[in-house]
Amino acid sequence: MNLVKSKQRVADHGEVFTPAWMVEAMLDLVKDETERIDARFLEPACGSGNFISRILQRKLAAVELKYGRSDFERSHYALLGLMCIYGIELLADNVAECRANALEIFAEYASVSESDDLYRAASHVLMTNILHGDALTMRSRGGQPIAFAEWGYLGKGKYQRRDFRLDVLTGSSNFSAEGSLFGKHEIFTPIKTYPPMTVRELAADGNGDCQKPTEAA
């Protein structure tokens, strides 16, 4: 694979992609976590998704091993695995490629097409989780503070979403529970909380305005 797109991009942004063998070696250092469906990963300079794609593949393999006999559980836990992967990227074309690469992997595993609710729900999750911004300033390309969604699976086809500001999460890292991106200490207050949603509701929520969030007090 090509490790650079152009010399100019290397000069302007220091952009060099991680080779596949190194991705595998690095992920093997936390192998148990990469194979845990609900383990959360944040790639602060995700590029076109070399790490994100491989983490997703490992999670989907774990889904297949545990839930492969049930189409319902298989599809819902596959979406949960996707929900637990996050990325920030400075360059817009890389953001688009990263989302597209992850969506292709998910769609192939779940055997879904663009007309399926599960496909559209996965696309919405990727729009929410893979963000165009700067991890150093913790702001989006538009200058707004970066916020991530904490997704949880409640069972019986329902998901819970709560949004948190990244600067609050990182600033409060000493209180984090077991190194998780989202802690359980009381200072971890969501900026928005959404009502439980089904795959169909997530699919319809492409612009994030289908469900009215509850603002934090």
Side-chain angles (χ1 to χ4, degrees):
M1 65 172 291
N2 293 327
L3 300 184
V4 299
K5 287 188 174 181
S6 73
K7 292 182 179 179
Q8 190 61 50
R9 288 168 70 107
V10 175
D12 291 344
H13 306 289
E15 180 186 69
V16 179
F17 296 105
T18 309
W21 68 267
M22 189 176 294
V23 170
E24 292 293 340
M26 293 175 71
L27 293 181
D28 281 344
L29 295 174
V30 287
K31 186 174 185 293
D32 290 345
E33 290 298 296
T34 64
E35 296 172 354
R36 185 161 66 86
I37 299 166
D38 61 351
R40 293 188 172 92
F41 285 83
L42 168 61
E43 173 55 70
C46 64
S48 57
N50 290 2
F51 279 96
I52 284 174
S53 293
R54 190 62 190 118
I55 291 168
L56 178 58
Q57 288 171 329
R58 290 186 179 207
K59 284 177 173 287
L60 294 178
V63 170
E64 185 64 28
L65 186 63
K66 191 169 184 178
Y67 299 106
R69 294 183 178 181
S70 167
D71 288 342
F72 182 87
E73 299 292 351
R74 180 176 179 268
S75 62
H76 282 83
Y77 278 98
L79 186 59
L80 176 64
L82 183 69
M83 287 172 163
C84 293
I85 302 173
Y86 303 84
I88 304 170
E89 171 55 34
L90 191 62
L91 303 178
D93 61 336
N94 284 342
V95 175
E97 286 181 28
C98 183
R99 290 170 177 164
N101 290 339
L103 186 57
E104 181 179 4
I105 291 168
F106 181 88
E108 182 178 355
Y109 172 76
S111 299
V112 291
S113 64
E114 295 179 16
S115 62
D116 291 300
D117 285 341
L118 185 60
Y119 182 101
R120 297 201 305 271
S123 179
H124 172 53
V125 168
L126 286 166
M127 291 293 292
T128 304
N129 284 20
I130 309 300
L131 301 181
H132 186 198
D134 187 335
L136 293 178
T137 64
M138 288 184 280
R139 290 188 174 272
S140 70
R141 197 60 175 169
Q144 299 299 313
I146 288 175
F148 279 121
E150 178 198 41
W151 303 95
Y153 184 48
L154 305 177
K156 298 181 179 180
K158 291 277 190 176
Y159 298 92
Q160 179 72 65
R161 173 182 171 179
R162 302 189 303 163
D163 291 356
F164 293 82
R165 278 180 50 159
L166 179 61
D167 55 358
V168 174
L169 295 175
T170 56
S172 307
S173 59
N174 288 337
F175 296 93
S176 177
E178 300 179 358
S180 173
L181 176 62
F182 301 94
K184 298 184 183 298
H185 192 277
E186 62 183 6
I187 64 173
F188 287 83
T189 303
I191 56 175
K192 292 180 182 179
T193 299
Y194 294 73
M197 291 176 277
T198 64
V199 166
R200 176 163 294 182
E201 288 166 335
L202 282 167
D205 198 18
N207 294 321
D209 56 4
C210 179
Q211 296 276 358
K212 181 175 176 57
T214 301
E215 301 290 343

